[in-house]
Amino acid sequence: MASSPCSSVNFDSGLEIKTRSVEQTLIPLVSQITTLINHKDKPKKSERTQQAIQKVGQAVSVAVGRFVAVGEAIAVENEELKEEMGMACFEARRAGDAIAQLTDVGTAVTRPVDGRTTVFSDRTGMVKAARMLLSSVTKVLVLADRIVIKQIITSRNKVGPIVIKQIITSRNKVLVTLEQLERVSTFQEFVQIFSQFGNQMVEFAHLTGDRQNDLKDENKKARMAAARAVLEKCTMMLLTASKTCLRHPDCESARINKDAVFHRMRFALEQVMEIVTDARPCGETKVLPLSIYTGIKDFKSNVEGLREGLYLLPHQALSGQLEAVVERTEDFTDSAYTSHEHREGILQLCQLARQDTDQLITAWMEAQSLNAKEATEEMELSILKTCQSVYELRRELHKVAVGRAADLLKLHAEHLPLRALKASGGEGNLEAVAEYARTLGEQKEQLVETCRLLCHVSGTEPLEITCIHAEETFHVIGPQIISAAQTLALHPSSKIAKENLDVFCEAWESQLCDMAVLLREINDVFEGRRGGAASGDKRAYVSLPRPGKHSANLKTVKAVKLDAEEQSTIAKLGLELRLLTSDMDTEVEKWEDQEHDIVRQGQSLSSMAYSMYLFTRGEGLLKTTTDLFHQAEVLSEEGLQLCSSLHTFSTQLMDEEKVVVLSEMEKLMGLCQQLQMGVRTPVQGKTATFQKVDSSIQNTRAIITVVIYLLPVCNKIVRKYKSERSSLGSPQSWRDRQSSTAVKDDVLNGKNSNGFGVKSLEQHMANLTFLESK
């Protein structure tokens, strides 16, 4: 079956399954019931078949009985859900008994002579019983999940799953110890309590991490990741800020600095609990601010929906939606940092979108006046023009937001305001600290505004959440850095104050690195390389294994997830891989021709390697080891395609250049083949699987390292040949050398002789022959 067995459960029960643990609990039951329903319809059943079916039916009945007993015990302890839970348990027990009765066929080979109804004679009855059982069991599980959530909220130490009791205890310990840390007055007392607090935070991080991985909603996972990141960074900030305040108890700036950390930690803890419990204070609902991307997507959906129904939407709805989008573009046009050229471009595209929408509405009204049942030809043309104009607007806004972010990251790559604050603070120069604090404040405002613009063009809700997190982080950490620098300036000889400032500056630098990663993810989504509904069609490597693709190799691999200890072990490898992909992106950006085959294949390798890095953090599209091995195999294939392009590239080079390129190409090919063989080799056991994961990431790292070396080498050669071409002189001298240079220049630019950048049939055959020979 193509659909998940649990999808039908949702339909029958009317309850939404929000966690993977509930979903996974249902799978064995679904499997057993499917066995009963899908028995072969033969006129006669062998004794062995009947006994097997009877055994399955009895197993289901016994399991349901035990399951219901637990549900009834939970109902007794939770009065508010007692009636609902009791009814669900009653339905489950009744359905289990019905299945036991229908499968109680004795040992007779044919239909029972006493006329009893069995699974063989009443298939419809079995289907009804199965539906009732799945529906009632799902309801019990979802109700139990609600009770678990309530236990977390109220922290009642009731009998329940060990994991839930751990979460409750862990959260309480963290809150109590946080209050104790805030009130300590001596170093000795602080050291003792903080040691305890650190262990509690590690435990809490593991438990909430497990809950994050269990969530099905990607938006909640993104919110959980953001909140947990705050807690992780604030733990170190809390240490140095508290030590500084203890060392300098009369220092106002030190107290402000410490209070801000405690406030942020409590806020992050509250966010985690809101996500875990799926509740907000006073019944509020967490709603993301409406972004331009979301507005355009909804507007475009309604425009294209006119093809299906001309009378489902009022005319004012479309123009109102567009005006709401245009109004939000004021975040771009009103910004002091937006250039005049970009501002004019955005305004012109907004006006064009208005004109096209007005024409569409006119054509729409005409079609309605003619009582048309479907969109007219004129209306179809207006729909296409309107969709194109809003796409052009979105593309321009994306270009402005991403361009500004990239410029800011380059401008602040050396962290000059932070260095100046450290130096002036260490010298005790309060005037200089105040001056550089203003500079940092301006930088903070630019970054906050840029994050807001990126949120508008992010392309997915999880990325919107990450943009909001980045905006909040810059907004909070900027003043904290300033208060830490003021404390150091007041106490320039204080090692603790200096250490405290260093920690906050490192957090700022870390957030800038995270922003660079975020920028790349937004670009990938916009260009279809990652995320989004259609990205899998454009770039096959971001999708999970598809039928008929690599399936023979993946059948022997059991899909598993790495546990916390294993992820911790490969975290260093993953970080190295991320740094390499950043270096690779830098080299790619240096190429003038971004459509060159070598550039495009390099970008693909970088994006795939980044997905593997996310896997080491338990994030991203790759959820299991099977997903990782599939991604590694596709990466190796892309690497071999790059080898093919390098071979073609080398045929037009001088001897010395050719030797360098071919030598590195041979290394790359060997590494790709080694990775391919490794991921295709089946393994058994948890240890062997982890070793295979480790080996795959190491081989990928080696591949990316070689490509990073090759990219500038090839770019230099391309620039050299272009320079030679530009220095040929007169048009006549160019024509004299065209026959010997044209092919070389086209190959260096990844094009064939017609200049369209598409390989000829002969080129495809040459590449194929080259790969087969290797």
Side-chain angles (χ1 to χ4, degrees):
M1 294 176 65
S3 62
S4 168
C6 293
S7 59
S8 61
V9 174
N10 275 348
F11 176 82
D12 291 336
S13 66
L15 293 168
E16 180 186 0
I17 298 174
K18 296 184 178 181
T19 59
R20 299 186 189 280
S21 53
V22 171
E23 191 175 65
Q24 293 297 318
T25 304
L26 289 170
I27 290 176
L29 180 61
V30 172
S31 177
Q32 287 183 318
I33 291 176
T34 303
T35 301
L36 292 175
I37 294 175
N38 293 341
H39 66 83
K40 295 180 181 179
D41 295 321
K42 294 180 180 179
K44 292 186 177 182
K45 306 292 179 182
S46 68
E47 182 178 351
R48 182 177 180 183
T49 300
Q50 293 187 62
Q51 289 176 347
I53 290 176
Q54 184 174 13
K55 186 176 181 181
V56 173
Q58 289 173 346
V60 169
S61 181
V62 171
V64 169
R66 293 173 180 168
F67 177 82
V68 166
V70 176
E72 290 171 341
I74 293 175
V76 170
E77 295 180 358
N78 297 271
E79 189 67 30
E80 68 282 3
L81 292 176
K82 184 175 182 179
E83 183 177 350
E84 200 173 358
M85 178 71 84
M87 181 59 69
C89 289
F90 173 76
E91 291 176 356
R93 191 185 295 277
R94 188 173 65 170
D97 292 343
I99 288 175
Q101 183 178 350
L102 287 168
T103 54
D104 184 15
V105 294
T107 57
V109 176
T110 59
R111 178 172 175 167
V113 295
D114 59 3
R116 285 187 298 109
T117 301
T118 70
V119 67
F120 302 112
S121 62
D122 188 10
R123 185 182 181 87
T124 302
M126 172 57 71
V127 172
K128 287 182 179 179
R131 278 181 171 273
M132 181 186 293
L133 181 60
L134 288 175
S135 177
S136 55
V137 167
T138 302
K139 192 166 188 177
V140 171
L141 286 169
V142 174
L143 290 172
D145 203 45
R146 282 188 200 166
I147 292 168
V148 163
I149 288 170
K150 184 171 182 183
Q151 285 178 328
I152 297 175
I153 297 174
T154 60
S155 299
R156 291 181 300 186
N157 194 14
K158 293 189 177 286
V159 177
I162 296 176
V163 174
I164 300 307
K165 293 172 73 174
Q166 287 176 334
I167 292 176
I168 296 168
T169 305
S170 177
R171 184 220 178 186
N172 284 339
K173 286 180 180 178
V174 168
L175 288 173
V176 170
T177 311
L178 196 63
E179 291 180 4
Q180 292 175 349
L181 281 172
E182 199 168 16
R183 295 196 301 265
V184 296
S185 56
T186 66
F187 266 104
Q188 184 177 1
E189 185 183 5
F190 173 80
V191 169
Q192 291 175 348
I193 297 176
F194 187 84
S195 176
Q196 180 184 359
F197 177 75
N199 293 332
Q200 292 168 358
M201 285 301 299
V202 169
E203 180 188 18
F204 189 73
H206 281 301
L207 293 171
T208 53
D210 291 340
R211 187 70 180 182
Q212 177 182 328
N213 291 332
D214 195 36
L215 290 169
K216 294 176 67 178
D217 189 321
E218 291 299 324
N219 293 352
K220 290 181 180 178
K221 292 182 79 167
R223 288 175 57 208
M224 177 73 89
R228 292 177 69 239
V230 171
L231 290 172
E232 180 184 347
K233 291 178 181 178
C234 280
T235 300
M236 190 60 188
M237 295 177 186
L238 187 144
L239 171 63
T240 57
S242 297
K243 286 167 60 179
T244 304
C245 208
L246 285 170
R247 177 69 72 188
H248 310 289
D250 298 327
C251 183
E252 180 67 13
S253 57
R255 185 192 59 78
I256 292 173
N257 184 258
K258 186 192 85 166
D259 289 348
V261 176
F262 275 92
H263 175 76
R264 197 162 186 236
M265 283 205 78
R266 287 196 175 93
F267 183 74
L269 281 168
E270 186 62 31
Q271 282 186 313
V272 169
M273 300 316 298
E274 287 173 9
I275 299 159
V276 169
T277 61
D278 198 21
R280 305 243 332 145
C282 305
E284 298 175 10
T285 308
K286 181 68 176 180
V287 179
L288 288 174
L290 197 59
S291 67
I292 292 175
Y293 163 77
T294 303
I296 288 179
K297 183 177 71 171
D298 293 343
F299 173 77
K300 188 177 176 184
S301 175
N302 283 336
V303 168
E304 293 177 335
L306 293 176
R307 296 189 179 105
E308 306 299 326
L310 301 180
Y311 307 95
L312 301 177
L313 201 67
H315 305 141
Q316 299 83 356
L318 278 187
S319 55
Q321 271 191 310
L322 181 62
E323 286 307 313
V325 170
V326 171
E327 184 179 348
R328 286 191 286 276
T329 62
E330 292 175 1
D331 284 346
F332 290 78
T333 56
D334 291 352
S335 170
Y337 306 109
T338 300
S339 69
H340 176 72
E341 179 185 355
H342 284 146
R343 184 177 292 107
E344 287 300 312
I346 292 170
L347 292 174
Q348 288 175 10
L349 288 170
C350 286
Q351 188 59 32
L352 178 61
R354 283 193 182 107
Q355 292 173 2
D356 289 339
T357 303
D358 289 342
Q359 290 177 5
L360 171 59
I361 292 174
T362 301
W364 180 15
M365 293 173 68
E366 287 180 6
Q368 286 181 327
S369 67
L370 298 172
N371 294 322
K373 294 182 179 180
E374 59 184 20
T376 61
E377 186 175 338
E378 181 184 358
M379 190 175 165
E380 179 64 32
L381 180 61
S382 295
I383 288 173
L384 294 174
K385 287 178 64 178
T386 303
C387 289
Q388 180 62 27
S389 62
V390 293
Y391 171 77
E392 293 294 337
L393 175 61
R394 180 195 166 198
R395 185 168 65 177
E396 180 66 18
L397 295 173
H398 174 88
K399 176 183 174 183
V400 172
V402 168
R404 183 191 296 183
D407 291 342
L408 270 179
L409 289 171
K410 289 178 182 178
L411 180 64
H412 302 309
E414 296 182 5
H415 311 295
L416 296 180
L418 301 184
R419 293 183 183 180
L421 281 171
K422 290 179 183 179
S424 55
E427 295 168 357
N429 190 338
L430 282 170
E431 291 184 3
V433 166
E435 179 183 347
Y436 292 122
R438 284 192 293 272
T439 303
L440 183 67
E442 292 173 4
Q443 180 179 329
K444 180 207 74 175
E445 291 302 324
Q446 289 181 354
L447 288 167
V448 165
E449 183 179 289
T450 302
C451 289
R452 196 173 300 130
L453 299 188
L454 287 175
C455 184
H456 276 308
V457 301
S458 56
T460 69
E461 287 191 7
L463 287 179
E464 282 184 38
I465 292 167
T466 307
C467 290
I468 293 170
H469 166 68
E471 178 185 342
E472 292 172 348
T473 301
F474 284 125
H475 185 75
V476 171
I477 294 183
Q480 289 180 310
I481 291 174
I482 293 171
S483 60
Q486 290 170 342
T487 302
L488 179 60
L490 291 170
H491 308 278
S493 61
S494 173
K495 292 183 179 179
I496 291 179
K498 181 179 182 302
E499 179 189 7
N500 187 46
L501 178 58
D502 287 341
V503 167
F504 282 95
C505 289
E506 285 170 10
W508 179 275
E509 293 167 8
S510 173
Q511 189 57 50
L512 284 174
C513 290
D514 290 344
M515 186 175 176
V517 173
L518 173 62
L519 184 63
R520 175 174 148 181
E521 289 180 334
I522 291 172
N523 259 329
D524 285 349
V525 168
F526 183 79
E527 296 171 10
R529 292 198 296 264
R530 181 185 295 122
S535 61
D537 297 331
K538 185 173 180 181
R539 299 277 181 161
Y541 59 78
V542 301
S543 63
L544 298 179
R546 295 162 290 157
K549 182 71 175 175
H550 311 289
S551 56
N553 301 321
L554 294 172
K555 284 180 181 177
T556 55
V557 182
K558 182 181 179 182
V560 296
K561 292 185 178 182
L562 299 184
D563 59 28
E565 184 179 352
E566 290 169 337
Q567 281 188 344
S568 175
T569 303
I570 63 169
K572 184 175 181 293
L573 271 178
L575 180 59
E576 291 173 357
L577 196 57
R578 173 188 167 178
L579 295 174
L580 286 173
T581 57
S582 297
D583 292 341
M584 193 164 171
D585 290 341
T586 301
E587 293 300 332
V588 164
E589 288 174 1
K590 294 178 182 177
W591 283 65
E592 293 179 4
D593 182 7
Q594 290 292 305
E595 293 303 314
H596 197 292
D597 282 352
I598 292 175
V599 172
R600 288 190 296 102
Q601 288 159 345
Q603 288 172 333
S604 296
L605 289 170
S606 177
S607 190
M608 286 187 275
Y610 183 76
S611 294
M612 296 173 73
Y613 151 69
L614 289 178
F615 174 84
T616 67
R617 295 181 57 178
E619 301 173 4
L621 296 174
L622 310 180
K623 305 298 183 186
T624 67
T625 53
T626 299
D627 299 340
L628 177 75
F629 299 147
H630 166 68
Q631 182 78 103
E633 185 175 7
V634 182
L635 184 143
S636 67
E637 292 173 354
E638 188 75 12
L640 291 173
Q641 288 297 323
L642 176 58
C643 291
S644 171
S645 298
L646 290 168
H647 181 265
T648 304
F649 181 81
S650 68
T651 58
Q652 304 298 324
L653 304 182
M654 304 296 289
D655 290 343
E656 185 176 345
E657 296 166 340
K658 186 174 183 178
V659 168
V660 173
V661 172
L662 288 179
S663 174
E664 294 301 316
M665 185 206 70
E666 292 289 346
K667 291 181 187 177
L668 179 61
M669 180 171 298
L671 291 168
C672 289
Q673 291 172 341
Q674 182 178 344
L675 176 60
Q676 200 169 66
M677 290 174 61
V679 296
R680 289 179 176 178
T681 303
V683 295
Q684 292 183 342
K686 186 176 180 181
T687 302
T689 301
F690 176 68
Q691 289 174 348
K692 185 174 176 180
V693 169
D694 184 78
S695 174
S696 299
I697 295 174
Q698 292 208 43
N699 285 334
T700 301
R701 182 183 62 177
I703 288 171
I704 299 300
T705 301
V706 174
V707 177
I708 289 173
Y709 175 80
L710 275 166
L711 281 171
V713 171
C714 295
N715 190 21
K716 183 178 179 181
I717 294 171
V718 170
R719 288 174 179 271
K720 174 185 173 184
Y721 280 98
K722 282 190 175 182
S723 176
E724 289 180 359
R725 186 183 69 178
S726 63
S727 62
L728 289 175
S730 67
Q732 181 63 42
S733 63
W734 161 243
R735 286 194 295 271
D736 292 340
R737 293 188 55 183
Q738 186 175 11
S739 59
S740 62
T741 314
V743 174
K744 178 185 295 185
D745 187 64
D746 287 336
V747 168
L748 291 174
N749 286 283
K751 300 178 181 179
N752 67 338
S753 57
N754 64 19
F756 287 101
V758 181
K759 290 187 177 71
S760 64
L761 178 62
E762 292 81 1
Q763 184 63 62
H764 274 304
M765 294 301 295
N767 290 343
L768 183 60
T769 304
F770 166 71
L771 285 173
E772 288 176 346
S773 67
K774 293 297 179 179

